[in-house]
Amino acid sequence: MDELDFFIYCMKHVQGIGNKGLLKVISYALDSDWQKRTGREWLTIAQVKANFRSDFLASFELSQSRHSQLWQDYQRGGFLTILSENYPVYLKEIYNPPVALFYHGDLNLLKKPALAMVGSRTASAYGKQVVSNFMPELVEKYVIVSGLAKGIDTSAHQAAIRHQGNTIGVIGTGLDVVYPQENSRLQQYMAERQLVLSEYPAGVAPLPYHFPARNRIIAGLTRGTIIIEAKQKSGSLITAQLALESGRDVFAVPGSVLDGHSIGCLELIQQGAKCVINSRDILEELSL
């Protein structure tokens, strides 16, 4: 399977092909003599859109010319595919599961039960205090997954570490890129002692559409998602919706109706999300 994994690794460095196209590539490769296929054949199989076809073919040819360098990079590790034994079972169950993940850190954390904790990038003192209050009991049983963004995400990672727990950061850039820059030390620490994941190869910048895609991985890795402070159009609500679509629990922490920080959470509660005011509410719900 190493040969096919390396082929996927190379395809992850080809421009113009998305995750859905890669899923088609894998499906075809498992049932055919895939090594003999040309770039134009893979273009058709992956159903690459017309406006990306020239980019795809040029990048595919470049990956072939860079074969030796890519092989050396692949040999260093830090890469798993949906075919790998270490690939999380929970993640396979979602719509459009990531074909491949690049990682730094302790891959064994993917074997442990996990909860997502996300929220506003402009977290208030209240939101940060909620994170701190919830964390001691949660990290006894669960790895905390978040997106290494400003605000609640950062507080969740830091609180998990502070309480001797484990945490996973899922980012929307290459692993060698830090966004936001202020989390440079935190991301480096997690890459060494916790786990940082990305579906993007090295060098990929933080593009806007990467983050909704990243959110499906956060939701997919976990048994449930905790939303702490979310404005009406918060990206955290995308994570909550993706969690619901994957059949996972969604927990929302109530907040003030006056300052706008928690309107998204309150609307989630109106729509049927579990209203939680402490970690016990979450642990009891999951135990059922």
Side-chain angles (χ1 to χ4, degrees):
M1 196 62 72
D2 264 0
E3 193 175 2
L4 181 52
D5 277 3
F6 175 59
F7 176 67
I8 297 169
Y9 183 85
C10 291
M11 290 294 274
K12 286 294 295 182
H13 291 79
V14 172
Q15 295 182 22
I17 182 170
N19 192 72
K20 292 179 181 177
L22 279 173
L23 285 169
K24 293 185 177 72
V25 165
I26 286 185
S27 178
Y28 191 89
L30 288 171
D31 296 322
S32 72
D33 191 7
W34 56 271
Q35 295 96 328
K36 298 179 180 179
R37 298 293 170 183
T38 66
R40 290 192 177 278
E41 289 175 303
W42 287 120
L43 182 152
T44 301
I45 291 165
Q47 298 178 356
V48 175
K49 294 179 181 178
N51 54 322
F52 290 119
R53 288 175 185 172
S54 59
D55 289 342
F56 175 90
L57 291 173
S59 191
F60 185 88
E61 291 175 2
L62 181 62
S63 74
Q64 302 308 298
S65 68
R66 293 173 56 212
H67 188 278
S68 295
Q69 181 60 53
L70 287 173
W71 175 251
Q72 290 177 26
D73 295 342
Y74 171 76
Q75 289 288 86
R76 294 191 185 100
F79 180 74
L80 74 156
T81 74
I82 199 168
L83 305 176
S84 306
E85 290 183 4
N86 289 326
Y87 192 93
V89 174
Y90 261 55
L91 198 54
K92 287 184 180 180
E93 298 172 354
I94 69 169
Y95 172 72
N96 193 27
V99 167
L101 292 169
F102 300 86
Y103 68 90
H104 285 162
D106 184 2
L107 203 60
N108 287 319
L109 295 187
L110 293 178
K111 300 175 182 178
K112 299 181 179 182
L115 283 173
M117 182 177 285
V118 296
S120 174
R121 283 176 166 79
T122 55
S124 69
Y126 165 77
K128 294 176 182 178
Q129 188 61 54
V130 169
V131 172
S132 185
N133 289 354
F134 278 34
M135 199 59 68
E137 289 185 279
L138 294 181
V139 294
E140 290 181 6
K141 293 189 176 182
Y142 294 97
V143 174
I144 302 301
V145 180
S146 199
L148 264 168
K150 293 181 181 179
I152 294 298
D153 288 27
T154 295
S155 293
H157 294 305
Q158 291 175 335
I161 294 167
R162 189 166 62 249
H163 291 286
Q164 288 77 55
N166 293 122
T167 186
I168 298 172
V170 186
I171 61 176
T173 67
L175 290 173
D176 59 335
V177 177
V178 178
Y179 181 81
Q181 191 59 41
E182 65 197 54
N183 275 350
S184 178
R185 290 181 62 187
L186 176 61
Q187 184 168 320
Q188 181 179 352
Y189 178 91
M190 289 176 58
E192 294 171 355
R193 305 190 187 186
Q194 301 290 331
L195 180 63
V196 181
L197 298 173
S198 175
E199 64 177 322
Y200 304 106
V204 173
L207 300 176
Y209 63 88
H210 288 176
F211 296 96
R214 177 275 308 269
N215 291 349
R216 84 188 192 287
I217 300 175
I218 293 174
L221 284 171
T222 60
R223 290 189 58 186
T225 295
I226 307 162
I227 311 293
I228 301 173
E229 289 196 319
K231 296 180 180 179
Q232 200 158 29
K233 295 184 178 180
S234 169
S236 303
L237 302 182
I238 297 174
T239 309
Q241 183 61 40
L242 291 166
L244 289 171
E245 290 173 359
S246 300
R248 314 296 165 80
D249 291 305
V250 173
F251 308 99
V253 178
S256 172
V257 299
L258 301 178
D259 61 17
H261 278 289
S262 296
I263 294 300
C265 291
L266 296 172
E267 289 181 347
L268 281 174
I269 292 167
Q270 285 182 326
Q271 295 162 14
K274 174 72 174 179
C275 177
V276 294
I277 59 174
N278 54 51
S279 57
R280 292 185 298 279
D281 291 339
I282 298 167
L283 296 173
E284 287 172 4
E285 185 72 16
L286 291 171
S287 71
L288 299 177

